[in-house]
Amino acid sequence: MNMTSHRLITQARRVELDSIIVKGGPVLSGTVSTSGAKNAALPVLFSALLADGTHRFTRVPVLRDIDSTHQLLEALGCRLERNGTDVTIEVAPPGEPVAHYDLVRKMRASILCLGPLLTRYGEARVSLPGGCAIGSRPIDLHVETMRKLGAEVEIDQGYVIARAKRLVGERILFEKLTVGGTENALMAAVLARGTTVIENAAKEPEVVDLVHYLRAMGAQIEGEGTSVITIDGVDELHPASHAIVADRIEAGTLLIAGAITGGEVTVDRCVPQHLEALTDKMQDCGFHIETGSDSITVGATDSWTGTDISTSPYPGFPTDLQAQFMALMTQAQGTSVVTEGIFENRFMHVQELVRLGADITPMRQVAVVRGDRGGLSGADVMATDLRASASLVLAGLVAKGETRVNRIYHLDRGYEKLEKKLASLGADIQRVR
Ligand code: UD1
């Protein structure tokens, strides 16, 4: 292990013990900027494995999942340099195309190196991933995709082992819509022989951002952002430069933070169109929303009504904003029904919100939230997934007294300086050890 990896791991262990203390009450106001999207940066950084040489990225968010990606890329022979949100990756062939368990277990998205390693080196061994505890999150669709493209794949001793001299283009029809599966298929197909057609492809802006980088590297792709993507394989790709797209989930979280306190907050450097599912629902609740070319403002209001949401793939309501929106609904007038349509076990935040005084009844994948403005009071809470942690921080902004959110390890996986951004809007929030 090199010095950078060692430093990052020591730092990460320390941060695991951190908590966030929020004192409820302040009405947030002002403008805050969005960072680059974690879920776009991860596949884009892994896609660098597809071409030797120097890749340059800007607007790479500073967060733990990105650190984990860096460690994995370094273990695969890459040299990384980071200067704030600018990242340079020098790619050279790895000693062996293996992603070991100790690195993969920290981040489920590590499975995204399967496609690039296999298509580039004819072989990949990737440990089965860990990550957020939000239901069983299988990787069968990733494995099936590689098989479709001609690879022999076996699972042995906790590793996916895939081999193919050269992948061959095919029709891939996803029976279930998968963001990561679509991304792995794309990264594998760009160097395959012949044409691959992905049907029922994910349309998420993060998938589109990956395609933009693959195209910048010389890949031949059409149809991104629609449910059919066509890839004509090429023999070789070259390194390029890319700015990561704005994080719509972070932007949405910040917008809800302003809304839940009844304040007027502008979130800028985002793509308002990517957040329409959220802003439409907020308007249904009675919030005044104004969008600029790269900004969204939520107007100050004292009361709003409940509404029903059901999460679904883009452009539907994002599952990654479900927990945060539920926090907002605890403060609404009336009852809201929240349906989780993507993951089978994504209500872990409910019990913790209830500990703060929320009135929520979960029933399998549906939760009924009875709103009560001002009804929360601070407590010690803990979350076991990234977006759940964010919802607890949001609830803490309006809970009476002090809320201590423990295990913010998860929050740090996906939010760049969330507490600093909220403090800049007037929140009484601090990180403690
Ligand atoms: C990505 C996002 C995550 C978001 C999710 C859904 C990243 C790094 N993460 O996760 O934040 O919550 O999309 O928008 O981009 N499934 C299978 N078999 C597979 C793969 C997935 O059954 O091989 C299932 C999953 O369990 C889930 C559904 O398909 O029920 C969608 O998952 P998927 O879109 O693949 O999520 P991720 O790419 O892991």
Side-chain angles (χ1 to χ4, degrees):
M1 188 181 300
N2 66 26
M3 285 305 284
T4 316
S5 297
H6 185 262
R7 183 176 49 77
L8 288 172
I9 288 169
T10 315
Q11 234 174 37
R13 286 203 178 116
R14 224 175 38 230
V15 166
E16 258 168 57
L17 303 173
D18 288 5
S19 301
I20 278 181
I21 294 183
V22 199
K23 290 191 183 133
V27 174
L28 303 193
S29 69
T31 299
V32 65
S33 291
T34 316
S35 298
K38 166 180 93 75
N39 287 353
L42 300 179
V44 166
L45 293 178
F46 282 123
S47 77
L49 289 166
L50 291 164
D52 287 352
T54 309
H55 301 249
R56 295 179 204 283
F57 304 106
T58 54
R59 213 179 178 192
V60 179
V62 180
L63 29 94
R64 274 186 60 132
D65 273 7
I66 298 294
D67 292 344
S68 302
T69 307
H70 287 184
Q71 287 166 32
L72 186 47
L73 288 171
E74 279 181 343
L76 287 166
C78 302
R79 280 196 17 227
L80 281 101
E81 253 178 59
R82 165 157 221 157
N83 185 2
T85 55
D86 294 347
V87 171
T88 304
I89 308 183
E90 190 80 41
V91 178
E96 44 172 16
V98 181
H100 287 287
Y101 177 66
D102 57 336
L103 293 175
V104 172
R105 74 184 168 84
K106 295 188 206 152
M107 189 183 66
R108 207 192 115 77
S110 307
I111 190 67
L112 292 173
C113 67
L114 179 66
L117 288 178
L118 173 63
T119 201
R120 190 77 215 285
Y121 302 108
E123 191 187 340
R125 293 208 313 137
V126 181
S127 171
L128 293 167
C132 276
I134 49 177
S136 70
R137 295 179 72 175
I139 54 150
D140 55 315
L141 300 172
H142 298 251
V143 167
E144 211 34 56
T145 296
M146 300 309 146
R147 285 202 176 111
K148 269 270 162 83
L149 295 173
E152 276 181 26
V153 190
E154 55 176 336
I155 310 283
D156 189 33
Q157 299 186 354
Y159 279 78
V160 181
I161 303 169
R163 291 189 189 89
K165 257 200 176 138
R166 185 170 181 191
L167 295 175
V168 182
E170 247 303 349
R171 170 178 179 248
I172 297 167
L173 169 62
F174 282 115
E175 64 193 51
K176 188 170 193 180
L177 210 133
T178 160
V179 175
T182 302
E183 291 165 346
N184 242 336
L186 276 162
M187 291 188 278
V190 287
L191 289 176
R193 191 171 66 236
T195 302
T196 299
V197 179
I198 307 175
E199 292 177 28
N200 197 24
K203 304 192 207 69
E204 269 65 4
E206 295 76 22
V207 174
V208 173
D209 203 45
L210 170 64
V211 170
H212 288 167
Y213 189 57
L214 294 172
R215 197 177 278 139
M217 284 196 285
Q220 301 289 319
I221 306 175
E222 272 175 29
E224 73 277 14
T226 76
S227 55
V228 181
I229 306 178
T230 306
I231 306 117
D232 283 321
V234 296
D235 290 338
E236 212 179 2
L237 297 172
H238 54 79
S241 308
H242 182 68
I244 302 294
V245 69
D247 194 323
R248 64 197 166 100
I249 305 302
E250 186 206 23
T253 304
L254 293 166
L255 206 63
I256 294 173
I260 201 169
T261 66
E264 177 171 317
V265 162
T266 299
V267 179
D268 69 7
R269 298 198 69 207
C270 65
V271 184
Q273 193 196 336
H274 292 168
L275 282 137
E276 267 171 16
L278 171 69
T279 49
D280 285 356
K281 280 292 172 188
M282 289 177 76
Q283 278 171 325
D284 287 352
C285 297
F287 288 103
H288 180 69
I289 299 282
E290 216 172 283
T291 53
S293 59
D294 74 344
S295 69
I296 308 175
T297 301
V298 56
T301 180
D302 266 348
S303 76
W304 52 94
T305 54
T307 189
D308 300 342
I309 58 157
S310 182
T311 66
S312 60
Y314 188 84
F317 195 97
T319 175
D320 286 350
L321 282 174
Q322 179 254 104
Q324 301 90 315
F325 197 80
M326 191 185 287
L328 182 64
M329 290 302 94
T330 68
Q331 301 302 296
Q333 279 176 14
T335 299
S336 311
V337 178
V338 174
T339 305
E340 173 52 49
I342 309 257
F343 292 108
E344 66 197 38
N345 181 18
R346 207 176 196 179
F347 280 151
M348 274 106 51
H349 46 286
V350 169
Q351 285 318 315
E352 298 301 291
L353 288 171
V354 167
R355 295 189 67 248
L356 294 173
D359 183 349
I360 308 173
T361 313
M363 292 167 289
R364 291 174 178 268
Q365 284 176 246
V366 176
V368 178
V369 187
R370 286 166 212 89
D372 175 17
R373 181 97 170 111
L376 302 184
S377 62
D380 272 32
V381 284
M382 149 147 67
T384 48
D385 106 46
L386 164 57
R387 308 303 171 184
S389 316
S391 81
L392 297 173
V393 171
L394 297 178
L397 292 172
V398 287
K400 289 181 200 88
E402 192 173 286
T403 298
R404 186 185 185 109
V405 184
N406 295 308
R407 282 230 206 143
I408 54 162
Y409 151 83
H410 285 289
L411 199 67
D412 292 330
R413 279 193 37 226
Y415 284 97
E416 186 175 270
K417 302 188 192 117
L418 183 65
E419 75 275 16
K420 293 212 169 99
K421 290 194 182 187
L422 293 174
S424 77
L425 296 170
D428 187 343
I429 184 169
Q430 56 172 319
R431 178 182 288 256
V432 291
R433 295 240 142 92

